[in-house]
Amino acid sequence: MENIGLKTIDIIVPCYNEGENIDMFFNETQGVISSITGYSFRYIFIDDGSCDDTLEKIKGLDNHVKIKYISFSRNFGKEAAMYAGLRASRGDYAVIIDADLQHPPGLMAEMIETIEETGCDSCAARRVSRKGEPRLRSLFARAFYRIMNRYSDIEILDGAVDFRMMNRKMVRAIVSMPENQRFSKGIFAWVGFDTRWIEFENVKRISGESKWSVWSLTKYAIDGFIDFAASPLKFVGVFGSVTAIGSVLYLVIEILKTLIMGKDIPGYASTICLILFFGGLITTVLSVMGEYIGRMYMETKGRPIYIEKESNIDED
């Protein structure tokens, strides 16, 4: 029976090979939302092309609760999974949360309370510590936030995670940006709206290993920086101008030296070093420009962000 008059909340859960965590996540989350009155909850699980029994576990959850799912034809990534969940959401609010319980479900009650009391559009979670995380990874993350906030047009708080609750207005704004190369942390900041933050301590995975390798995190950081910062292209222009001016000055100096001191015999080693140095810089500049052009090329193809293989949402 529908809970008429209650506000609805969609709990969006991106999953990739989380079969061993689904039951624990569901039981803990159910324990939290069962104590929250005045709201009707619905789960939207996104199976991101998992290779294990994630989809079977989702289908086997309690039928007395609204369980919806979308299964991708392959692994399209968490960004695509979050977009699919937000696109399928029809609730008054939408919550994005991970299935590995690194995002404490108990914070949802505080998010609801914050939104209702302040009237804000979004309430997001932010880690205040990285306890248990490899030191190198922590240093890399902090450096990324500093660089991102300095050179991009948006500001992302250090420790901000994808775990957040948003109202329908903000969800619609995010879904209206169907770009293929997605960086949701940047998109959440770019669309604006009034966001309040809840701090929490870092939580270890309940089981299994993180799907984020050093390389995937590095690639994700580069994607985010390029998607929301034009600084590399500006640097290319500045570098070209400085190089041109320096070349002219060097030419003038060499002409004056020749006129005053006579013809000089150039050194072979210094010439080779200069050629290699500027050759490397030029290659780097072309790589940066090529990265932007390549992204433009991929966007113009108009490929879908994800391909749906199976879903029970149409049953509504």
Side-chain angles (χ1 to χ4, degrees):
M1 180 184 247
E2 293 291 336
N3 295 309
I4 300 174
L6 300 181
K7 290 185 177 180
T8 55
I9 298 178
D10 288 331
I11 303 174
I12 300 168
V13 192
C15 304
Y16 177 62
N17 291 342
E18 298 287 358
E20 56 188 352
N21 297 328
I22 294 295
D23 289 334
M24 287 183 284
F25 164 81
F26 180 72
N27 291 333
E28 183 163 336
T29 305
Q30 276 298 107
V32 172
I33 66 176
S34 62
S35 63
I36 301 175
T37 59
Y39 296 88
S40 173
F41 293 87
R42 180 178 75 153
Y43 291 87
I44 303 178
F45 287 91
I46 312 297
D47 172 34
D48 186 20
S50 299
C51 303
D52 63 357
D53 61 346
T54 296
L55 184 58
E56 287 69 27
K57 289 281 189 177
I58 294 171
K59 291 180 178 180
L61 294 175
D62 188 358
N63 291 328
H64 293 90
V65 182
K66 292 182 181 178
I67 304 293
K68 298 298 177 182
Y69 65 85
I70 299 174
S71 180
F72 290 171
S73 61
R74 66 169 176 83
N75 177 233
F76 284 90
K78 185 181 178 182
E79 292 293 328
M82 289 191 292
Y83 175 78
L86 290 173
R87 190 164 176 261
S89 173
R90 296 295 181 270
D92 296 304
Y93 299 101
V95 180
I96 298 176
I97 184 171
D98 286 352
D100 56 13
L101 290 179
Q102 285 193 289
H103 296 166
L107 291 182
M108 285 195 292
E110 189 174 348
M111 288 179 174
I112 294 173
E113 183 179 353
T114 300
I115 288 179
E116 293 295 353
E117 289 183 353
T118 64
C120 62
D121 302 292
S122 172
C123 185
R126 171 178 176 262
R127 287 185 299 183
V128 293
S129 74
R130 297 182 178 274
K131 185 178 179 181
E133 190 175 73
R135 183 178 296 273
L136 181 62
R137 180 170 171 175
S138 298
L139 292 173
F140 177 83
R142 291 193 174 94
F144 165 73
Y145 285 113
R146 285 197 295 269
I147 295 173
M148 189 75 181
N149 291 330
R150 181 171 181 178
Y151 294 105
S152 69
D153 298 329
I154 59 174
E155 182 177 358
I156 305 175
L157 288 183
D158 186 0
V161 296
D162 297 319
F163 183 23
R164 64 178 60 215
M165 177 179 287
M166 298 167 281
N167 62 18
R168 174 114 312 265
K169 191 185 303 181
M170 185 170 177
V171 170
R172 276 198 294 260
I174 294 170
V175 172
S176 69
M177 302 171 63
E179 52 200 63
N180 194 281
Q181 304 287 334
R182 302 186 68 80
F183 179 67
S184 290
K185 287 186 178 68
I187 293 175
F188 294 149
W190 188 90
V191 297
F193 294 98
D194 182 15
T195 299
R196 303 299 172 92
W197 295 90
I198 295 177
E199 297 180 345
F200 72 102
E201 298 289 336
N202 188 46
V203 180
K204 291 184 178 181
R205 289 177 58 88
I206 52 176
S207 62
E209 297 181 355
S210 173
K211 310 304 186 297
W212 293 95
S213 63
V214 174
W215 167 245
S216 61
L217 284 171
T218 302
K219 184 177 181 298
Y220 182 66
I222 293 173
D223 288 344
F225 185 69
I226 290 178
D227 286 348
F228 287 91
S231 300
L233 289 177
K234 294 178 181 178
F235 169 77
V236 167
V238 172
F239 168 74
S241 301
V242 171
T243 303
I245 294 172
S247 300
V248 172
L249 292 175
Y250 181 74
L251 177 62
V252 171
I253 292 172
E254 286 299 312
I255 291 175
L256 291 176
K257 282 177 61 179
T258 302
L259 292 175
I260 296 173
M261 303 176 60
K263 189 174 182 180
D264 189 17
I265 300 175
Y268 175 77
S270 60
T271 302
I272 293 299
C273 287
L274 285 173
I275 291 174
L276 292 176
F277 174 72
F278 282 104
L281 284 178
I282 291 171
T283 302
T284 302
V285 168
L286 291 176
S287 297
V288 172
M289 296 178 65
E291 187 68 31
Y292 280 91
I293 294 172
R295 289 170 185 274
M296 293 169 58
Y297 170 67
M298 294 303 294
E299 292 292 340
T300 57
K301 287 186 173 184
R303 289 177 178 173
I305 298 174
Y306 63 91
I307 296 176
E308 181 182 302
K309 181 180 179 181
E310 182 181 348
S311 174
N312 69 343
I313 291 180
D314 291 340
E315 295 176 3
D316 289 342

Coordinates of all heavy atoms in Angstrom, one line a residue, residues 185-261:
K185 N 31.8 14.9 -8.2 CA 32.1 15.9 -7.1 C 32.2 17.3 -7.7 O 31.7 18.3 -7.1 CB 33.5 15.5 -6.5 CG 33.5 14.3 -5.6 CD 34.8 14.1 -4.9 CE 34.8 13.0 -4.0 NZ 34.7 11.7 -4.7
G186 N 32.7 17.4 -8.9 CA 32.7 18.7 -9.6 C 31.4 19.2 -10.0 O 31.0 20.4 -9.9
I187 N 30.6 18.3 -10.5 CA 29.2 18.6 -10.9 C 28.3 19.1 -9.8 O 27.6 20.0 -9.9 CB 28.5 17.4 -11.7 CG1 29.3 17.1 -13.0 CG2 27.1 17.7 -11.9 CD1 28.8 15.9 -13.7
F188 N 28.5 18.4 -8.6 CA 27.7 18.8 -7.4 C 28.0 20.2 -7.0 O 27.2 21.0 -6.6 CB 28.0 17.8 -6.3 CG 27.6 16.4 -6.4 CD1 28.3 15.4 -5.9 CD2 26.5 16.1 -7.2 CE1 27.9 14.0 -6.0 CE2 26.0 14.8 -7.4 CZ 26.8 13.8 -6.8
A189 N 29.3 20.6 -7.2 CA 29.7 21.9 -6.8 C 29.3 22.9 -7.9 O 28.9 24.0 -7.6 CB 31.2 22.0 -6.6
W190 N 29.4 22.5 -9.1 CA 29.1 23.4 -10.2 C 27.7 23.9 -10.3 O 27.4 25.0 -10.6 CB 29.6 22.8 -11.6 CG 29.5 23.7 -12.7 CD1 30.5 24.5 -13.2 CD2 28.4 24.0 -13.6 NE1 30.1 25.3 -14.3 CE2 28.8 24.9 -14.5 CE3 27.1 23.5 -13.7 CZ2 27.9 25.4 -15.5 CZ3 26.2 23.9 -14.6 CH2 26.7 24.9 -15.6
V191 N 26.7 23.0 -10.0 CA 25.3 23.3 -10.1 C 24.9 24.3 -9.0 O 23.8 24.9 -9.1 CB 24.4 22.1 -10.1 CG1 24.7 21.2 -11.3 CG2 24.6 21.3 -8.8
G192 N 25.7 24.4 -8.0 CA 25.4 25.3 -6.9 C 24.4 24.8 -5.9 O 24.6 23.6 -5.5
F193 N 23.4 25.5 -5.6 CA 22.5 25.2 -4.5 C 23.1 25.2 -3.1 O 24.3 25.2 -3.0 CB 21.8 23.8 -4.8 CG 21.0 23.7 -6.0 CD1 21.5 23.2 -7.2 CD2 19.7 24.2 -6.0 CE1 20.8 23.2 -8.4 CE2 18.9 24.2 -7.2 CZ 19.5 23.6 -8.4
D194 N 22.2 25.4 -2.1 CA 22.7 25.5 -0.8 C 23.0 24.1 -0.2 O 22.1 23.3 -0.1 CB 21.6 26.2 0.1 CG 22.0 26.4 1.5 OD1 23.2 26.2 1.8 OD2 21.1 26.7 2.3
T195 N 24.3 23.9 0.1 CA 24.7 22.6 0.6 C 25.3 22.7 2.0 O 26.1 23.6 2.3 CB 25.8 21.9 -0.3 OG1 25.2 21.7 -1.6 CG2 26.2 20.6 0.3
R196 N 24.8 21.9 2.9 CA 25.3 21.8 4.3 C 26.1 20.5 4.4 O 25.8 19.5 3.8 CB 24.2 21.8 5.3 CG 23.3 23.0 5.2 CD 24.0 24.3 5.4 NE 23.2 25.5 5.2 CZ 22.5 26.1 6.1 NH1 22.5 25.7 7.3 NH2 21.8 27.2 5.7
W197 N 27.1 20.5 5.3 CA 28.1 19.4 5.4 C 28.0 18.7 6.8 O 27.8 19.4 7.8 CB 29.5 19.9 5.2 CG 29.7 20.3 3.8 CD1 29.5 21.6 3.3 CD2 30.1 19.6 2.6 NE1 29.8 21.7 2.0 CE2 30.1 20.4 1.5 CE3 30.4 18.2 2.5 CZ2 30.4 20.0 0.2 CZ3 30.7 17.8 1.2 CH2 30.7 18.7 0.1
I198 N 28.1 17.4 6.7 CA 28.2 16.6 8.0 C 29.5 15.9 8.0 O 29.9 15.2 7.0 CB 27.0 15.5 8.0 CG1 25.7 16.2 8.1 CG2 27.2 14.6 9.2 CD1 24.5 15.2 8.0
E199 N 30.2 16.0 9.1 CA 31.6 15.4 9.2 C 31.5 14.0 9.8 O 30.7 13.7 10.7 CB 32.5 16.3 10.0 CG 32.7 17.7 9.3 CD 33.6 18.5 10.2 OE1 33.9 18.2 11.4 OE2 34.1 19.5 9.6
F200 N 32.4 13.1 9.3 CA 32.4 11.7 9.9 C 33.8 11.2 9.8 O 34.6 11.6 8.9 CB 31.4 10.8 9.2 CG 31.8 10.4 7.8 CD1 32.3 9.1 7.6 CD2 31.6 11.2 6.8 CE1 32.6 8.7 6.3 CE2 31.9 10.8 5.5 CZ 32.4 9.6 5.2
E201 N 34.2 10.2 10.6 CA 35.5 9.6 10.6 C 35.5 8.5 9.5 O 34.5 7.9 9.2 CB 35.8 8.9 12.0 CG 35.8 9.9 13.1 CD 37.1 10.8 13.1 OE1 38.1 10.4 12.5 OE2 37.0 11.9 13.7
N202 N 36.7 8.3 9.0 CA 36.8 7.3 7.9 C 36.5 5.9 8.4 O 36.8 5.6 9.6 CB 38.3 7.3 7.4 CG 38.5 6.5 6.2 OD1 37.7 6.5 5.2 ND2 39.5 5.6 6.2
V203 N 35.8 5.2 7.6 CA 35.3 3.9 8.0 C 35.9 2.8 7.0 O 35.9 3.1 5.8 CB 33.8 3.8 7.9 CG1 33.3 2.4 8.3 CG2 33.1 4.8 8.9
K204 N 36.4 1.7 7.5 CA 37.0 0.7 6.7 C 35.9 -0.1 6.0 O 34.8 -0.2 6.5 CB 37.9 -0.2 7.5 CG 39.2 0.4 8.0 CD 40.0 -0.6 8.7 CE 41.4 0.0 9.1 NZ 42.2 -1.0 9.8
R205 N 36.2 -0.7 4.9 CA 35.2 -1.6 4.2 C 34.9 -2.8 5.1 O 35.8 -3.3 5.8 CB 35.8 -2.1 2.9 CG 36.0 -1.1 1.8 CD 36.6 -1.8 0.6 NE 35.9 -2.9 0.1 CZ 34.9 -2.9 -0.8 NH1 34.5 -1.7 -1.3 NH2 34.2 -3.9 -1.2
I206 N 33.6 -3.2 5.0 CA 33.2 -4.4 5.9 C 33.9 -5.7 5.4 O 34.1 -6.6 6.1 CB 31.7 -4.5 5.9 CG1 31.1 -4.5 4.5 CG2 31.1 -3.4 6.8 CD1 29.6 -4.7 4.5
S207 N 34.1 -5.7 4.1 CA 34.7 -6.9 3.5 C 35.2 -6.6 2.1 O 34.7 -5.6 1.5 CB 33.8 -8.1 3.5 OG 32.6 -7.8 2.6
G208 N 36.0 -7.4 1.5 CA 36.5 -7.2 0.2 C 37.6 -6.1 0.1 O 38.0 -5.5 1.1
E209 N 38.0 -5.8 -1.1 CA 39.0 -4.8 -1.3 C 38.4 -3.6 -2.1 O 37.5 -3.8 -2.9 CB 40.2 -5.4 -2.1 CG 41.0 -6.5 -1.3 CD 42.2 -7.0 -2.0 OE1 42.4 -6.6 -3.2 OE2 42.9 -7.8 -1.4
S210 N 39.0 -2.5 -2.0 CA 38.6 -1.3 -2.7 C 38.8 -1.5 -4.2 O 39.7 -2.1 -4.7 CB 39.4 -0.1 -2.3 OG 39.1 1.0 -3.1
K211 N 37.8 -1.1 -5.0 CA 37.9 -1.2 -6.5 C 38.8 -0.1 -7.1 O 39.0 -0.1 -8.3 CB 36.5 -1.1 -7.1 CG 35.4 -2.0 -6.4 CD 35.8 -3.5 -6.4 CE 34.7 -4.4 -5.9 NZ 34.4 -4.1 -4.5
W212 N 39.2 0.8 -6.2 CA 40.0 1.9 -6.7 C 41.5 1.6 -6.6 O 42.0 1.6 -5.4 CB 39.7 3.2 -6.0 CG 38.3 3.8 -6.2 CD1 37.2 3.5 -5.5 CD2 37.9 4.6 -7.3 NE1 36.1 4.2 -6.0 CE2 36.5 4.8 -7.1 CE3 38.6 5.2 -8.4 CZ2 35.8 5.6 -8.0 CZ3 37.9 6.0 -9.2 CH2 36.5 6.2 -9.1
S213 N 42.2 1.4 -7.7 CA 43.6 1.2 -7.6 C 44.3 2.6 -7.7 O 43.7 3.6 -7.9 CB 44.1 0.4 -8.8 OG 43.8 1.0 -10.1
V214 N 45.6 2.6 -7.6 CA 46.4 3.9 -7.7 C 46.2 4.5 -9.0 O 46.0 5.7 -9.2 CB 47.9 3.7 -7.4 CG1 48.7 4.9 -7.6 CG2 48.1 3.2 -5.9
W215 N 46.2 3.7 -10.1 CA 46.1 4.2 -11.4 C 44.7 4.7 -11.7 O 44.6 5.8 -12.3 CB 46.4 3.1 -12.4 CG 46.0 3.4 -13.8 CD1 45.0 2.8 -14.6 CD2 46.5 4.5 -14.6 NE1 44.9 3.4 -15.8 CE2 45.8 4.5 -15.9 CE3 47.5 5.5 -14.5 CZ2 46.0 5.4 -16.9 CZ3 47.7 6.4 -15.5 CH2 47.0 6.3 -16.7
S216 N 43.7 4.0 -11.2 CA 42.3 4.5 -11.4 C 42.0 5.8 -10.7 O 41.3 6.7 -11.2 CB 41.3 3.4 -11.0 OG 41.4 3.1 -9.6
L217 N 42.6 5.9 -9.5 CA 42.5 7.2 -8.7 C 43.2 8.3 -9.4 O 42.7 9.4 -9.5 CB 43.0 7.0 -7.3 CG 42.1 6.2 -6.3 CD1 42.9 6.0 -5.0 CD2 40.8 7.0 -6.0
T218 N 44.4 8.0 -10.0 CA 45.1 9.0 -10.7 C 44.3 9.5 -11.9 O 44.2 10.7 -12.2 CB 46.5 8.5 -11.1 OG1 47.2 8.1 -10.0 CG2 47.3 9.6 -11.9
K219 N 43.8 8.5 -12.7 CA 43.0 8.8 -13.9 C 41.8 9.6 -13.5 O 41.4 10.6 -14.2 CB 42.6 7.6 -14.6 CG 41.9 7.8 -15.9 CD 41.6 6.4 -16.6 CE 40.8 6.6 -17.9 NZ 39.5 7.3 -17.7
Y220 N 41.1 9.3 -12.4 CA 39.9 10.0 -11.9 C 40.3 11.4 -11.6 O 39.5 12.3 -11.9 CB 39.4 9.2 -10.7 CG 38.1 9.8 -10.1 CD1 36.9 9.8 -10.9 CD2 38.1 10.4 -8.9 CE1 35.7 10.3 -10.4 CE2 36.9 10.9 -8.3 CZ 35.8 10.9 -9.1 OH 34.6 11.4 -8.6
A221 N 41.4 11.6 -10.9 CA 41.8 13.0 -10.6 C 42.1 13.8 -11.8 O 41.7 15.0 -11.9 CB 43.1 12.9 -9.7
I222 N 42.8 13.2 -12.8 CA 43.1 13.9 -14.0 C 41.8 14.3 -14.8 O 41.6 15.4 -15.3 CB 44.0 13.1 -14.9 CG1 45.4 12.9 -14.3 CG2 44.2 13.7 -16.3 CD1 46.3 12.0 -15.0
D223 N 40.9 13.3 -14.8 CA 39.6 13.6 -15.4 C 38.9 14.8 -14.8 O 38.3 15.7 -15.5 CB 38.7 12.4 -15.3 CG 39.1 11.2 -16.2 OD1 39.9 11.5 -17.1 OD2 38.7 10.1 -16.0
G224 N 38.9 14.8 -13.4 CA 38.2 15.9 -12.7 C 38.8 17.2 -13.0 O 38.2 18.2 -13.2
F225 N 40.2 17.2 -13.0 CA 40.9 18.5 -13.2 C 40.7 19.0 -14.6 O 40.4 20.2 -14.8 CB 42.4 18.3 -12.9 CG 43.2 19.5 -13.0 CD1 43.1 20.5 -12.0 CD2 44.1 19.8 -14.1 CE1 43.8 21.7 -12.1 CE2 44.8 20.9 -14.1 CZ 44.7 21.9 -13.1
I226 N 40.7 18.2 -15.6 CA 40.6 18.6 -17.0 C 39.1 19.0 -17.2 O 38.8 20.0 -17.9 CB 41.0 17.5 -17.9 CG1 42.5 17.4 -17.9 CG2 40.6 17.9 -19.4 CD1 43.1 16.3 -18.8
D227 N 38.2 18.3 -16.6 CA 36.7 18.6 -16.8 C 36.3 20.0 -16.3 O 35.4 20.6 -16.8 CB 35.9 17.6 -16.2 CG 35.9 16.3 -17.0 OD1 36.4 16.3 -18.1 OD2 35.4 15.3 -16.5
F228 N 37.0 20.5 -15.2 CA 36.6 21.7 -14.6 C 37.7 22.8 -14.5 O 37.6 23.7 -13.7 CB 36.1 21.4 -13.2 CG 34.7 20.7 -13.2 CD1 34.6 19.3 -13.2 CD2 33.6 21.5 -13.2 CE1 33.4 18.7 -13.2 CE2 32.3 20.9 -13.3 CZ 32.3 19.5 -13.3
A229 N 38.8 22.6 -15.3 CA 39.8 23.6 -15.2 C 40.4 23.8 -16.6 O 40.7 22.9 -17.3 CB 40.9 23.1 -14.3
A230 N 40.5 25.1 -17.0 CA 41.1 25.4 -18.3 C 42.5 25.9 -18.1 O 43.2 26.3 -19.0 CB 40.3 26.5 -19.0
S231 N 43.0 25.8 -16.8 CA 44.4 26.3 -16.5 C 45.5 25.6 -17.4 O 46.4 26.3 -17.8 CB 44.7 26.0 -15.0 OG 43.7 26.7 -14.2
P232 N 45.4 24.3 -17.6 CA 46.5 23.7 -18.5 C 46.6 24.4 -19.8 O 47.7 24.6 -20.3 CB 46.0 22.3 -18.6 CG 45.3 22.0 -17.3 CD 44.5 23.3 -17.1
L233 N 45.4 24.7 -20.4 CA 45.5 25.4 -21.7 C 46.0 26.8 -21.6 O 46.8 27.3 -22.5 CB 44.1 25.4 -22.3 CG 43.5 24.1 -22.8 CD1 42.1 24.3 -23.3 CD2 44.4 23.5 -23.9
K234 N 45.7 27.5 -20.5 CA 46.2 28.8 -20.3 C 47.7 28.7 -20.1 O 48.5 29.6 -20.6 CB 45.6 29.4 -19.1 CG 44.1 29.7 -19.2 CD 43.5 30.3 -18.0 CE 42.0 30.6 -18.2 NZ 41.3 31.1 -16.9
F235 N 48.2 27.7 -19.4 CA 49.6 27.5 -19.2 C 50.3 27.3 -20.5 O 51.5 27.8 -20.7 CB 49.9 26.3 -18.3 CG 51.3 25.9 -18.2 CD1 52.2 26.6 -17.5 CD2 51.7 24.7 -19.0 CE1 53.6 26.2 -17.4 CE2 53.1 24.4 -18.9 CZ 54.0 25.1 -18.2
V236 N 49.7 26.5 -21.4 CA 50.3 26.3 -22.7 C 50.5 27.6 -23.4 O 51.6 27.9 -24.0 CB 49.4 25.4 -23.6 CG1 49.8 25.4 -25.0 CG2 49.4 24.0 -23.0
G237 N 49.5 28.5 -23.4 CA 49.6 29.8 -24.0 C 50.7 30.7 -23.4 O 51.5 31.3 -24.1
V238 N 50.8 30.7 -22.0 CA 51.8 31.4 -21.4 C 53.2 30.9 -21.7 O 54.2 31.6 -21.9 CB 51.6 31.4 -19.8 CG1 52.8 32.0 -19.1 CG2 50.3 32.1 -19.5
F239 N 53.3 29.5 -21.7 CA 54.6 28.9 -22.0 C 55.1 29.3 -23.4 O 56.2 29.6 -23.6 CB 54.5 27.4 -21.8 CG 55.6 26.6 -22.4 CD1 56.9 26.6 -21.7 CD2 55.5 26.0 -23.6 CE1 57.9 25.9 -22.3 CE2 56.6 25.3 -24.2 CZ 57.8 25.3 -23.5
G240 N 54.2 29.3 -24.3 CA 54.5 29.6 -25.7 C 55.0 31.1 -25.8 O 56.0 31.3 -26.5
S241 N 54.3 32.0 -25.1 CA 54.7 33.4 -25.2 C 56.0 33.6 -24.5 O 56.9 34.3 -25.1 CB 53.6 34.2 -24.4 OG 52.4 34.1 -25.0
V242 N 56.3 33.0 -23.3 CA 57.5 33.2 -22.6 C 58.7 32.6 -23.5 O 59.8 33.2 -23.6 CB 57.5 32.5 -21.3 CG1 58.9 32.4 -20.6 CG2 56.5 33.2 -20.4
T243 N 58.4 31.4 -24.1 CA 59.5 30.8 -24.9 C 59.8 31.7 -26.1 O 61.0 31.9 -26.5 CB 59.0 29.4 -25.4 OG1 58.7 28.6 -24.3 CG2 60.1 28.7 -26.2
A244 N 58.8 32.3 -26.7 CA 59.0 33.1 -27.9 C 59.8 34.4 -27.5 O 60.8 34.8 -28.2 CB 57.7 33.5 -28.5
I245 N 59.4 35.0 -26.4 CA 60.2 36.2 -25.9 C 61.6 35.8 -25.5 O 62.6 36.5 -25.9 CB 59.4 36.8 -24.7 CG1 58.1 37.3 -25.1 CG2 60.3 37.9 -24.1 CD1 57.2 37.8 -24.0
G246 N 61.8 34.7 -24.9 CA 63.1 34.2 -24.5 C 64.0 34.0 -25.7 O 65.2 34.3 -25.7
S247 N 63.4 33.4 -26.7 CA 64.1 33.1 -28.0 C 64.6 34.4 -28.6 O 65.8 34.5 -29.1 CB 63.3 32.3 -28.9 OG 62.9 31.1 -28.4
V248 N 63.8 35.4 -28.7 CA 64.1 36.7 -29.3 C 65.3 37.3 -28.5 O 66.2 37.9 -29.0 CB 62.9 37.6 -29.3 CG1 63.3 39.0 -29.8 CG2 61.9 37.1 -30.3
L249 N 65.1 37.3 -27.1 CA 66.2 37.9 -26.3 C 67.5 37.2 -26.5 O 68.6 37.8 -26.6 CB 65.8 37.9 -24.8 CG 64.6 38.8 -24.4 CD1 64.2 38.5 -23.0 CD2 64.9 40.2 -24.6
Y250 N 67.4 35.8 -26.5 CA 68.7 35.1 -26.8 C 69.3 35.4 -28.1 O 70.5 35.5 -28.2 CB 68.3 33.6 -26.7 CG 69.5 32.7 -26.9 CD1 70.5 32.5 -25.9 CD2 69.7 32.0 -28.1 CE1 71.6 31.7 -26.0 CE2 70.8 31.1 -28.2 CZ 71.7 31.0 -27.2 OH 72.8 30.2 -27.4
L251 N 68.5 35.6 -29.1 CA 69.0 35.9 -30.5 C 69.7 37.3 -30.4 O 70.8 37.4 -31.0 CB 67.8 36.0 -31.5 CG 68.2 36.4 -32.9 CD1 69.2 35.4 -33.5 CD2 66.9 36.4 -33.8
V252 N 69.1 38.3 -29.7 CA 69.7 39.6 -29.6 C 71.0 39.5 -28.9 O 72.0 40.1 -29.4 CB 68.7 40.5 -28.9 CG1 69.4 41.9 -28.6 CG2 67.5 40.8 -29.7
I253 N 71.1 38.7 -27.8 CA 72.3 38.6 -27.1 C 73.4 38.0 -27.9 O 74.6 38.4 -27.9 CB 72.1 37.7 -25.8 CG1 71.2 38.5 -24.8 CG2 73.4 37.4 -25.1 CD1 70.7 37.7 -23.6
E254 N 73.1 36.9 -28.7 CA 74.0 36.3 -29.5 C 74.6 37.2 -30.7 O 75.7 37.2 -31.0 CB 73.4 35.0 -30.2 CG 73.2 33.8 -29.2 CD 74.6 33.4 -28.6 OE1 75.5 33.2 -29.4 OE2 74.7 33.3 -27.4
I255 N 73.7 38.0 -31.2 CA 74.1 39.0 -32.2 C 75.1 40.0 -31.6 O 76.1 40.3 -32.3 CB 72.9 39.7 -32.8 CG1 72.0 38.7 -33.6 CG2 73.3 40.8 -33.7 CD1 70.7 39.3 -34.2
L256 N 74.8 40.5 -30.4 CA 75.6 41.5 -29.8 C 77.0 40.8 -29.5 O 78.0 41.5 -29.6 CB 75.0 42.0 -28.5 CG 73.8 42.9 -28.7 CD1 73.1 43.3 -27.4 CD2 74.1 44.1 -29.5
K257 N 77.0 39.6 -29.0 CA 78.2 38.9 -28.6 C 79.1 38.7 -29.9 O 80.3 38.9 -29.8 CB 77.9 37.5 -28.0 CG 77.5 37.6 -26.5 CD 77.1 36.2 -26.0 CE 78.3 35.3 -26.1 NZ 78.0 34.0 -25.5
T258 N 78.4 38.4 -31.0 CA 79.2 38.2 -32.2 C 79.8 39.5 -32.7 O 80.9 39.5 -33.2 CB 78.2 37.6 -33.3 OG1 77.7 36.4 -32.8 CG2 79.0 37.3 -34.6
L259 N 79.0 40.6 -32.6 CA 79.5 41.9 -33.1 C 80.7 42.4 -32.2 O 81.6 43.0 -32.7 CB 78.4 42.9 -33.1 CG 77.3 42.7 -34.1 CD1 76.2 43.7 -33.9 CD2 77.8 42.7 -35.5
I260 N 80.6 42.1 -30.9 CA 81.6 42.6 -30.0 C 82.8 41.7 -29.9 O 83.9 42.2 -29.9 CB 80.9 42.9 -28.6 CG1 79.9 43.9 -28.7 CG2 82.0 43.3 -27.6 CD1 79.1 44.1 -27.4
M261 N 82.5 40.4 -29.7 CA 83.6 39.5 -29.4 C 84.0 38.6 -30.6 O 84.9 37.8 -30.5 CB 83.2 38.6 -28.3 CG 82.8 39.3 -27.0 SD 82.1 38.3 -25.7 CE 83.5 37.2 -25.4

